[in-house]
Amino acid sequence: MWSNDNFILAPKEIKKARRRLLVSFIFVFSVFLGIFSQILSFPFQEKSKLLLANQLANSVGRAKIIDRNNNILAINVPAWTMYADPIEVLEPIKTAAFLHNLMPEKDLNFLNKKLSLKKRFVEIDRVTSPKRYQTIFNSGITGIHFLKIQARIYPKGDLASHILGNVSKDGEGLAGIERHFDTALKSSEKPVKLTIDSNIQYILQSEIKKQINFFDADAGAGVVLNIQNGEVLGLSSFPSFDVNYFGEASEKEIFNRATFASYDMGSTFKLINTAIALDSGKVNLKDKFDTTKPLYIGKHKVDDFRYLKRPANVAEILINSSNIGSALIAEKVGAKIQKNYFDLLELTKKADLPLLEVSKPIFNEKWTKSNSMTASYGYGLAVSPIQLASAVACIFNNGDFIKPKLIVDNKETVKKRVFSEKTSHLMRKLARAVVTHPDGSGKKSDAFGYFVGGKTGTAEMINSNGGFQKHSNLSSFVGAFPINNPQYLITVLIENPKPQIEKLNHHFTTGGQVAAPVVKEIVKKIAPILNIHPVVTDLPKIEQSLKLEILSNKVRLTNASL
Amino acid sequence: MWKFSIICSFMAIFTGIALNLISNSIHDRRKQLSALEKKIEQKIEKLKILETEWEYHTQPDKLMQIAEDKLGMSTKEVEQFGEIKIVKLRSSAWKLDLGVTKDNLLKDFDYKKVRN
C-alpha cells in the first residue's frame, strides 16, 4: 500500500521536484498568457480590418473636378490596360485582326507589329473600357492580358479643356487645375469645384468657334465673368483639344490663349484710358482734343482709321475710337498716374489664377510718356484676355477691382476700390453709347433688350520678329450686360480673321464686324441661363436713362458706317 | 501535482477548442467582409462608370441637338418675350367678385389664395 508516511523523499529530490513544478507552472502560465493575449487582440484586429474596408470602399485614386452645377468634368473610373505577351500569342495575324475589329481606331499594321515583337510585355491599349475588356476576356484569346488601373476620364471632351489641364499616365497633374490641385486631388475625396458653368462654357466655345470658321481666322479666346464676385463662368481658347486625347493635341491647341497669351489689345484699352482720365479728375467729359490731324510722339506717328471733322470731346473720342484723341487724353493725365491705375487694376503683374499657364504682362518697366500715350489705345502693354476682362469689370462694377476666381470657395469676395462710383456710372453710359450711337463701332453687339455696353478693338498682330503685321488683326470686343445694372462681362478675341467679301459684301475684319456679333449671340443664349430677362416695355425708359447729354445721335463726326 | 496537471491540460484543451471556434467564426466573418468589400467596390466602380456615361451623354451640345431636333426648341428670341399687359384675356378672367383685376395681376396678386 502506498502511503505518504511510507513515501519519504530525500531533501535533494524534494528540491528537484519543486524545480520541476516551477518549470511546469511557468510553462502552463505562458501558454495561458499567450491564449489571453490572442483573445484580447481579436477586437483590435477586427477594428483595423473595418478601417481598411472603409478605405477600400472610398478609394478612388483621384478626386473629381466638377463645375458650379456639380456636373463632372474629370473623374477616375476603373479601366484596364491591355497588354500582350507576344510569345503566348499563337496566331498574331488573326489576333491582330480580331483586336482591330474590336478597336477600329487601332491601326491593323500597328497591332500586327506589336504582336510580332519578341518581348514579354507589349502595351496594346492604355485605357480599355470595361465593355471591351469583357468582350476580349470572354473570347478566351491567348496572350492578351489586362492590368486593372484607374483611368482619368473627361466626359465632356473638349469642354473647358484648357482649364482642366491633364494628368500623366501615372496620374500626376501636368497642366491646368489638375496640376495646381494635384496634391489636393490625390489626398482628398472632396471634389474641386470650378466656377465654370458647363452650359455657358459650351456656348462661349461654340460661338467663338463658329465665328473663327466663318472668318477663316487663326485662333480665338473668350471670357465670361460675373462682375459682382469675379467668378469666371466661361473661359475659352480656340483651337482646343479633347483632354482624353491630350497626347494627340498640337502645341497650338494646348496653348491657353485666355490666360497664357499676352496681346496688345488695341482699342478696348480706350475704355480703361477714359475711365482713368475721368476718375483722376485730370480730364472732363466735355474737354476737347484735336483729332483732325495725325499726332507725332517723337518719330512715331499716331493715326486714326478715320479723322474726325472737328476737335472732339472725351465721349466722342471713345465712341469714334480715336487713337489720336486717346493719346492726347493720356498725355494730359500723365504717365505716372496712368501707371498707378494700371498697377491697381493688376495689369502690370500676372493674373492670380490657380493655373500654371498664366502669362506675365509685357511692357516697358520705365513707363515713359510715349509708353503711356500708346497704351491709351492699347499698344505697349500686352496683357491676357482674362486681365482685360477683370480690369474692365472693375470699371463697370462701381469701381471695385475683384480678382478673377476659378474655384468655388466660401471665402468672402475681396474688393479693392479703384474708380469712384460716379466714374463707373459715367463709363456705363459711354459704353452703351459705343453700341447705340450712329458713330459707335459696337452696334453689332446690341442684343435687343439686354443693354449691352462695351468697346470694340482692332489691333495689329505682332509677327515673329516683334514687328506689327499690317494685314493681320486681333479683333475684339469687351462688354457688359445689362449695362444699366451690369452683372456679367464678356470678352471675345479673334486672331487674324480674313476678309469675307463674297459673304458680307465688305472687307472689314474689325472688332465691330468680327467680335461684336459673337458677343450678341452669346448674350442672347446665356442670359436665360443666368436668369436675366430681356426688357421690352421699359426699354425706352432705360435707354433714356443711359443717354449722355453731351452726345447727340444726330451729330456725327464721320461719314463712315462700320 | 497530478491533479493540477490534469486540470491544466483540460483547461488548455477547452480553451483551445473555444478559441478555435472563435477563430473560425472570425475567419468566416472576415471572408464575408471581404466579399462585401469587393461588392461595394464593384458597385462604386459601376456607379462611377454610370456617372461618367451620364455626363458624356448630357454634354451641352448633345442636349442642345436633342432639344432642337426632337422637341423643336431653340434659343429664345426677344420677340418671344412680352409683359402681361399685352396678353389678351377673356372677360371672365376679370371677375371683380374674386378681386382679380388686371392691376392686381400686375402687382403679383395671389390669385390662388383668393380662390381658396
Side-chain angles (χ1 to χ4, degrees):
Chain A
M1 277 293 278
W2 278 98
S3 114
N4 283 344
D5 304 330
N6 300 334
F7 195 71
I8 300 160
L9 286 171
K12 224 178 179 182
E13 282 174 324
I14 290 174
K15 214 175 175 184
K16 217 173 171 183
R18 275 186 185 157
R19 205 180 294 150
R20 275 182 196 155
L21 193 65
L22 187 71
V23 169
S24 8
F25 177 76
I26 290 169
F27 176 73
V28 172
F29 183 76
S30 350
V31 168
F32 274 90
L33 200 71
I35 291 166
F36 279 115
S37 69
Q38 276 290 310
I39 292 169
L40 285 172
S41 68
F42 278 137
F44 298 108
Q45 279 178 4
E46 194 74 357
K47 199 176 175 185
S48 64
K49 187 77 186 167
L50 277 172
L51 275 174
L52 188 70
N54 285 336
Q55 275 171 13
L56 271 172
N58 294 323
S59 165
V60 285
R62 197 175 174 86
K64 293 175 200 168
I65 301 176
I66 54 174
D67 81 345
R68 64 184 303 112
N69 302 316
N70 299 325
N71 292 308
I72 298 168
L73 300 173
I75 185 171
N76 263 27
V77 292
W80 285 264
T81 290
M82 189 199 301
Y83 72 95
D85 181 349
I87 290 165
E88 285 181 13
V89 178
L90 298 174
E91 292 173 296
I93 297 169
K94 270 190 178 176
T95 309
F98 173 79
L99 292 177
H100 174 69
N101 195 29
L102 202 71
M103 305 184 291
E105 76 278 5
K106 299 274 175 201
D107 186 51
L108 186 62
N109 289 334
F110 162 85
L111 291 168
N112 269 325
K113 214 172 150 185
K114 286 262 181 187
L115 295 178
S116 311
L117 288 171
K118 284 178 181 170
K119 287 182 181 176
R120 298 303 306 257
F121 183 94
V122 178
E123 192 178 290
I124 303 285
D125 193 17
R126 172 75 191 158
V127 180
T128 310
S129 69
K131 203 175 168 185
R132 277 182 182 176
Y133 159 76
Q134 208 59 50
T135 314
I136 296 167
F137 191 77
N138 292 345
S139 74
I141 199 161
T142 56
I144 303 295
H145 304 284
F146 294 92
L147 276 179
K148 198 169 182 191
I149 55 157
Q150 286 282 326
R152 193 70 166 162
I153 301 288
Y154 303 89
K156 307 276 187 205
D158 73 340
L159 199 86
S161 52
H162 293 94
I163 307 168
L164 295 172
N166 70 311
V167 294
S168 70
K169 280 182 179 181
D170 307 320
E172 298 289 325
L174 293 179
I177 291 292
E178 292 277 28
R179 175 160 179 156
H180 192 273
F181 289 97
D182 192 37
T183 318
L185 286 164
K186 277 196 274 192
S187 60
S188 159
E189 296 304 313
K190 200 180 163 200
V192 170
K193 193 169 190 171
L194 302 184
T195 55
I196 298 294
D197 180 311
S198 290
N199 294 315
I200 292 173
Q201 177 72 26
Y202 167 69
I203 290 164
L204 181 70
Q205 278 185 210
S206 62
E207 290 303 323
I208 290 175
K209 188 177 169 184
K210 218 186 277 174
Q211 199 71 333
I212 285 173
N213 291 337
F214 185 87
F215 279 96
D216 193 20
D218 291 349
V223 179
V224 177
L225 197 71
N226 183 330
I227 286 181
Q228 304 299 327
N229 56 19
E231 285 183 349
V232 179
L233 301 174
L235 188 131
S236 147
S237 177
F238 192 86
S240 65
F241 61 99
D242 185 335
V243 202
N244 296 301
Y245 302 99
F246 183 79
E248 292 163 29
S250 67
E251 268 183 43
K252 198 181 167 191
E253 288 169 333
I254 294 165
F255 186 62
N256 185 353
R257 284 168 173 76
T259 62
F260 207 21
S262 293
Y263 296 103
D264 280 314
M265 289 293 177
S267 297
T268 46
F269 247 62
K270 286 170 189 163
L271 269 180
I272 302 172
N273 183 55
T274 309
I276 292 172
L278 295 172
D279 196 70
S280 64
K282 296 279 178 187
V283 173
N284 194 291
L285 200 60
K286 287 177 185 169
D287 289 354
K288 290 198 172 179
F289 297 86
D290 189 4
T291 50
T292 58
K293 55 180 189 272
L295 175 74
Y296 287 89
I297 310 169
K299 283 179 187 173
H300 179 72
K301 184 185 173 188
V302 181
D303 216 349
D304 272 345
F305 178 68
R306 53 195 185 192
Y307 293 121
L308 305 184
K309 289 174 186 170
R310 57 165 170 77
N313 62 41
V314 173
E316 288 164 339
I317 285 169
L318 184 74
I319 60 163
N320 285 285
S321 200
S322 166
N323 295 339
I324 301 164
S326 299
L328 289 169
I329 291 171
E331 189 183 25
K332 201 169 176 187
V333 170
K336 205 178 166 188
I337 293 175
Q338 187 197 50
K339 177 72 175 11
N340 284 344
Y341 273 99
F342 284 163
D343 289 342
L344 285 169
L345 292 167
E346 302 194 1
L347 289 168
T348 51
K349 64 177 187 182
K350 267 178 150 187
D352 188 9
L353 287 167
L355 298 173
L356 184 75
E357 303 81 15
V358 179
S359 67
K360 213 178 158 193
I362 305 165
F363 63 100
N364 181 9
E365 289 287 346
K366 294 175 197 162
W367 196 249
T368 62
K369 181 181 161 187
S370 64
N371 289 138
S372 94
M373 287 170 84
T374 55
S376 69
Y377 54 90
Y379 289 91
L381 173 58
V383 297
S384 61
I386 187 82
Q387 284 182 294
L388 175 74
S390 43
V392 175
C394 168
I395 294 174
F396 296 136
N397 176 26
N398 287 329
D400 292 323
F401 180 82
I402 303 167
K403 284 183 182 184
K405 245 169 84 171
L406 262 178
I407 305 294
V408 173
D409 53 34
N410 295 325
K411 290 177 193 162
E412 209 175 302
T413 308
V414 181
K415 293 180 178 182
K416 179 173 72 183
R417 180 46 64 99
V418 178
F419 300 111
S420 68
E421 272 188 43
K422 191 184 160 196
T423 305
S424 179
H425 284 253
L426 201 52
M427 286 307 297
R428 292 175 193 178
K429 291 180 179 180
L430 284 168
R432 182 65 185 156
V434 172
V435 176
T436 54
H437 194 275
D439 276 345
S441 53
K443 288 190 279 285
K444 292 205 167 179
S445 71
D446 194 16
F448 184 77
Y450 291 111
F451 302 100
V452 177
K455 181 73 188 82
T456 57
T458 312
E460 284 173 0
M461 297 277 293
I462 290 176
N463 60 29
S464 51
N465 303 322
F468 290 108
Q469 288 174 278
K470 270 277 170 218
H471 301 290
S472 180
N473 289 342
L474 174 73
S475 305
S476 59
F477 187 89
V478 55
F481 76 101
I483 199 71
N484 53 319
N485 177 26
Q487 300 294 319
Y488 300 96
L489 183 120
I490 301 170
T491 305
V492 168
L493 296 98
I494 311 277
E495 271 183 40
N496 197 17
K498 316 287 184 307
Q500 300 297 320
I501 302 165
E502 278 180 25
K503 293 179 199 164
L504 299 168
N505 285 327
H506 66 70
H507 64 277
F508 298 116
T509 54
T510 56
Q513 293 294 330
V514 179
V518 182
V519 171
K520 180 182 176 177
E521 284 309 306
I522 294 171
V523 169
K524 272 165 61 180
K525 287 179 178 167
I526 70 169
I529 298 172
L530 297 166
N531 211 17
I532 292 181
H533 303 289
V535 175
V536 182
T537 45
D538 285 340
L539 194 131
K541 211 167 85 184
I542 296 171
E543 209 69 88
Q544 192 56 39
S545 72
L546 288 165
K547 281 270 178 302
L548 275 169
E549 280 175 25
I550 198 167
L551 286 170
S552 162
N553 279 1
K554 287 170 192 166
V555 180
R556 296 194 60 192
L557 294 179
T558 67
N559 296 321
S561 58
L562 275 182
Chain B
M1 177 64 192
W2 271 106
K3 280 180 188 170
F4 177 73
S5 300
I6 288 165
I7 289 167
C8 284
S9 306
F10 273 110
M11 274 178 77
I13 290 164
F14 280 124
T15 321
I17 291 167
L19 281 177
N20 187 260
L21 289 172
I22 293 170
S23 163
N24 282 345
S25 88
I26 287 171
H27 186 70
D28 286 348
R29 281 185 189 183
R30 275 185 186 166
K31 258 178 132 179
Q32 281 176 1
L33 189 69
S34 117
L36 280 173
E37 271 168 10
K38 211 170 176 187
K39 265 189 185 173
I40 292 168
E41 210 179 331
Q42 279 170 351
K43 294 273 175 201
I44 290 173
E45 283 179 354
K46 271 189 183 172
L47 197 68
K48 276 182 181 296
I49 291 165
L50 278 175
E51 263 185 312
T52 313
E53 280 181 1
W54 171 260
E55 290 297 336
Y56 174 77
H57 290 297
T58 56
Q59 284 182 56
D61 57 330
K62 288 183 197 290
L63 289 182
M64 208 172 266
Q65 186 105 41
I66 293 167
E68 274 174 24
D69 296 351
K70 309 282 179 195
L71 304 170
M73 291 168 83
S74 57
T75 312
K76 285 183 230 169
E77 293 294 330
V78 175
E79 294 75 43
Q80 292 173 272
F81 286 83
E83 291 202 1
I84 196 155
K85 284 176 196 166
I86 59 169
V87 180
K88 285 180 183 174
L89 295 174
R90 273 183 275 170
S91 56
S92 57
W94 311 118
K95 281 183 181 173
L96 289 172
D97 58 334
L98 285 175
V100 183
T101 67
K102 202 166 183 174
D103 286 338
N104 282 341
L105 269 176
L106 296 174
K107 284 180 209 161
D108 297 319
F109 184 74
D110 196 345
Y111 175 68
K112 278 182 191 166
K113 214 173 173 181
V114 175
R115 251 185 139 178
N116 296 332

